[in-house]
Amino acid sequence: MILRLVRTLLGRAFQAAATALVLSFIVFVVLRLLPADPLGMMLPPSASRADVEALRVALGLDKGIVTQYLVWLGRALQGDLGTSIYFRQPVVTLVGNSLPATLELSLVSLVMALLIAIPGGIVLYLLNRKRGELLADFVLVLLLSIPSFLWGIILIIVFGVLMPVLPFMGRTSGVIGSDLPTGFLLFDLLWTGRWSDWQDALAHLMLPALALALGFSPLVARVLRASLIETATEQYVSVARLRGLSESRVLLRHMLGNAALPTLTLIGVQFGFLFGGTLLIEVIFSFPGMGNLMVQAIKNHDLMLIQGVALVFCLMVLVVNFVVDALYAVLNPRLRA
């Protein structure tokens, strides 16, 4: 049993590593084919042709794409993603400063989405073949039609302008300081006992996280309802009802756990879209994370930074999918048999 589980996880890890390698090569090649000259950002207007050629040789841009990629890959495996052309700082430093904000936003929005989707899926299941089913389906389809960035605009108008109860710009109201250990504000400020700053950071996080959650939760609720409807026909559910257990106990203690397995898989797949959706949300809310960093990199034709941010986005999605696959393998009794 344990050997089979380990073999399954090793297979998933190998697939994730292979996928990361292929994606990094695709991103590297596509960026080199763009009609943008990174050398123009690094040299002054008075630079001569000899200066341009010398810098091209120094950066290895005079070699073939495959050779350039292998050199870059060797450095990346050692933790060196190059130097930003625009910011003149190591890409690893820039990504390391921005990644905690995006991860924090993604995790908080995931928690919000589950708090909305799980009760929502249960309510949709309870309304199955009942009077309110058509209305519930209409509302669900309506919510599925609204993307996260549109939710962001709606939330800003409602809760930031018409009823200004929550801030919608930046990560905090003031300067927090650079002495925080991890970069995750909610954790760091709580750890250091800065309660008022923690409340301020949480308030700034509410609207962008809710925008992502509202775009993510309807699909999870829909899949959870379908899983509950399918689980309701299983024999063990009928046995539990024959034993005289209440419908709520059958639902919460017997059906929900098994129905959650397909939903867990969906969360793993969709989390990649949620994580990627932070790009537009961060721009809309001026949130200083990876999305804003990517926009600045694209605007300034900063190929090294674009490449580094894109690689980290890909790696984070692969890591989340691997964790979900691992949880599914552990929780699914058929894979543990």
Side-chain angles (χ1 to χ4, degrees), residues 15-329:
Q15 290 176 4
T19 303
L21 189 66
V22 172
L23 287 175
S24 67
F25 181 73
I26 293 174
V27 171
F28 189 93
V29 172
V30 168
L31 289 178
R32 281 357 181 236
L33 297 178
L34 292 177
D37 183 17
L39 301 181
M41 300 290 297
M42 303 179 69
L43 292 170
S46 59
S48 64
R49 184 176 297 274
D51 295 330
V52 173
E53 290 302 320
L55 183 58
R56 188 182 301 276
V57 172
L59 295 176
L61 298 178
D62 59 324
K63 300 180 175 64
I65 289 182
V66 175
T67 304
Q68 291 182 44
Y69 172 74
L70 293 176
V71 172
W72 174 85
L73 180 63
R75 293 175 178 172
L77 292 175
Q78 299 175 22
D80 180 11
L81 296 177
T83 301
S84 167
I85 296 172
Y86 178 76
F87 292 101
R88 312 282 180 169
Q89 296 181 45
V91 172
V92 172
T93 301
L94 294 170
V95 170
N97 292 335
S98 302
L99 183 58
T102 299
L103 284 177
E104 188 173 61
L105 173 60
S106 301
L107 292 175
V108 171
S109 63
L110 178 61
V111 172
M112 282 186 173
L114 294 179
L115 292 176
I116 297 171
I118 293 175
I122 294 174
V123 170
L124 290 172
Y125 164 73
L126 294 175
L127 290 175
N128 186 44
R129 298 181 181 178
K130 294 183 179 178
R131 183 176 299 177
E133 182 183 13
L134 289 178
L135 178 61
D137 285 339
F138 172 77
V139 173
L140 184 63
V141 171
L142 179 64
L143 293 177
L144 284 168
S145 305
I146 303 177
S148 296
F149 73 88
L150 185 55
W151 276 119
I153 296 173
I154 293 172
L155 291 174
I156 288 176
I157 294 174
V158 175
F159 297 106
V161 178
L162 298 179
M163 296 184 295
V165 293
L166 286 171
F168 57 89
M169 297 290 288
R171 202 175 177 193
T172 60
S173 297
V175 178
I176 294 295
S178 59
D179 57 338
L180 301 178
T182 67
F184 293 90
L185 283 188
L186 295 184
F187 173 79
D188 291 339
L189 295 174
L190 194 62
W191 179 262
T192 54
R194 298 163 64 175
W195 180 245
S196 60
D197 288 335
W198 184 87
Q199 290 179 308
D200 179 63
L202 181 63
H204 280 78
L205 201 58
M206 284 294 98
L207 290 185
L210 184 58
L212 286 170
L214 289 173
F216 180 72
S217 55
L219 184 58
V220 177
R222 187 178 191 178
V223 172
L224 180 59
R225 177 184 68 170
S227 299
L228 286 171
I229 292 173
E230 184 179 352
T231 305
T233 61
E234 296 290 339
Q235 185 176 1
Y236 69 89
V237 176
S238 301
V239 172
R241 286 171 175 156
L242 289 174
R243 288 169 54 195
L245 298 179
S246 64
E247 191 64 29
S248 60
R249 187 169 182 179
V250 172
L251 174 62
L252 297 176
R253 297 196 61 178
H254 295 274
M255 294 173 56
L256 189 59
N258 290 308
L261 288 176
T263 309
L264 181 64
T265 304
L266 174 74
I267 290 172
V269 174
Q270 290 296 316
F271 186 80
F273 294 100
L274 184 147
F275 191 73
T278 58
L279 192 150
L280 282 177
I281 292 297
E282 287 181 4
V283 172
I284 292 172
F285 288 91
S286 299
F287 198 82
M290 294 276 288
N292 256 320
L293 187 64
M294 174 64 97
V295 170
Q296 293 180 57
I298 294 173
K299 183 171 62 176
N300 296 296
H301 298 162
D302 196 335
L303 299 188
M304 282 295 183
L305 186 55
I306 296 172
Q307 193 169 277
V309 173
L311 178 63
V312 172
F313 265 110
C314 294
L315 288 177
M316 291 306 305
V317 172
L318 289 172
V319 167
V320 170
N321 278 278
F322 174 76
V323 171
V324 170
D325 286 342
L327 288 174
Y328 189 87

